[in-house]
Amino acid sequence: GAVVSQHPSWVICKSGTSVKIECRSLDFQATTMFWYRQFPKQSLMLMATSNEGSKATYEQGVEKDKFLINHASLTLSTLTVTSAHPEDSSFYICSASLAGGLHNEQFFGPGTRLTVL
Amino acid sequence: GENVEQHPSTLSVQEGDSAVIKCTYSDSASNYFPWYKQELGKGPQLIIDIRSNVGEKKDQRIAVTLNKTAKHFSLHITETQPEDSAVYFCAASTNNAGNMLTFGGGTRLMVKP
């Protein structure tokens, strides 16, 4: 149980285009989903927290107009990187918290590697 | 806010030896401490966690200890195997922070056969 999927697992795009990454909780309902960014050999950096049906809360330094987050249902959150540039290339990972589950537990997706040319 | 520090950043052990990774945290309100294993190109996988009402937890070859007074917690892996090689992250969380996790910097564990 508690499986989180991400799609796509990797994407290559041209500079200036937008890319959408999906995060799904497959066998549970998630009231809260988190989006992280990870650079090579570094730790996970929280970008934003999204609750179903409300606006995402962005961490300091993360541009909300560049990284659009939508959490339309209890099983799906999307991250759209708008007008992507090479510096946006990174490993993006989502996680989900169980609705009604034990506090604090997060289950992570497999990640999406974005390469912007 | 919470600050989590993790040591060492790299750890190399011989197969069969034990490995210990240590983390310290700053927020005394933190009450949940998970450990994640991340293999190359994959997302983190929860391997064990501990809550502040417990001092130690064990799951086969893996154990975690928590010292709330000193605000540190440790991961212990016994009888290490080559497949234990990965990056390990500790994290801390409080209920007041909306389930938000603060991660340590990670430890690259290499188990030599």
Side-chain angles (χ1 to χ4, degrees):
Chain A
V3 178
V4 176
S5 71
Q6 277 183 246
H7 180 80
S9 55
W10 60 270
V11 56
I12 301 173
C13 69
K14 290 183 179 179
S15 189
T17 60
S18 294
V19 174
K20 180 185 282 190
I21 302 170
E22 290 186 349
C23 177
R24 292 182 186 273
S25 55
L26 297 185
D27 51 2
F28 67 100
Q29 292 187 324
T31 48
T32 306
M33 287 186 170
F34 303 84
W35 287 96
Y36 295 85
R37 184 173 181 177
Q38 186 178 35
F39 291 107
K41 297 187 178 181
Q42 291 190 25
S43 189
L44 286 76
M45 183 189 79
L46 180 66
M47 299 175 66
T49 302
S50 76
N51 291 294
E52 184 263 338
S54 61
K55 288 185 180 180
T57 302
Y58 290 82
E59 294 300 299
Q60 193 172 9
V62 178
E63 298 175 59
K64 60 181 179 181
D65 293 332
K66 180 161 187 66
F67 298 100
L68 300 178
I69 292 171
N70 184 277
H71 192 163
S73 77
L74 285 172
T75 59
L76 173 65
S77 176
T78 60
L79 168 68
T80 302
V81 183
T82 62
S83 187
H85 290 284
E87 57 265 31
D88 298 324
S89 298
S90 190
F91 194 49
Y92 291 88
I93 309 171
C94 72
S95 71
S97 278
L98 220 60
L102 289 172
H103 290 298
N104 319 100
E105 284 183 331
Q106 288 186 29
F107 301 94
F108 284 81
T112 297
R113 182 158 305 281
L114 169 64
T115 302
V116 185
L117 302 176
Chain B
E2 175 69 281
N3 181 48
V4 178
E5 296 199 355
Q6 184 171 345
H7 298 281
S9 55
T10 60
L11 179 59
S12 182
V13 300
Q14 207 66 39
E15 181 179 359
D17 288 349
S18 295
V20 180
I21 303 170
K22 299 181 179 181
C23 287
T24 60
Y25 61 99
S26 61
D27 189 348
S28 56
S30 289
N31 59 357
Y32 176 63
F33 308 91
W35 285 89
Y36 293 89
K37 177 183 180 182
Q38 186 178 29
E39 297 177 339
L40 192 62
K42 298 183 179 180
Q45 293 230 314
L46 179 70
I47 56 172
I48 195 167
D49 57 13
I50 192 167
R51 298 186 185 273
S52 57
N53 58 345
V54 176
E56 185 174 356
K57 185 176 177 181
K58 191 173 181 180
D59 182 5
Q60 299 184 333
R61 296 187 297 110
I62 295 172
V64 57
T65 59
L66 170 65
N67 183 327
K68 285 176 58 181
T69 304
K71 288 191 279 190
H72 67 68
F73 56 112
S74 301
L75 176 71
H76 305 252
I77 305 174
T78 58
E79 299 171 30
T80 54
Q81 301 165 3
E83 50 266 38
D84 294 329
S85 297
V87 179
Y88 291 81
F89 291 99
C90 64
S93 175
T94 72
N95 286 337
N96 296 335
N99 292 1
M100 192 178 82
L101 290 172
T102 301
F103 282 86
T107 296
R108 184 171 301 276
L109 174 64
M110 293 168 284
V111 180
K112 293 180 284 188

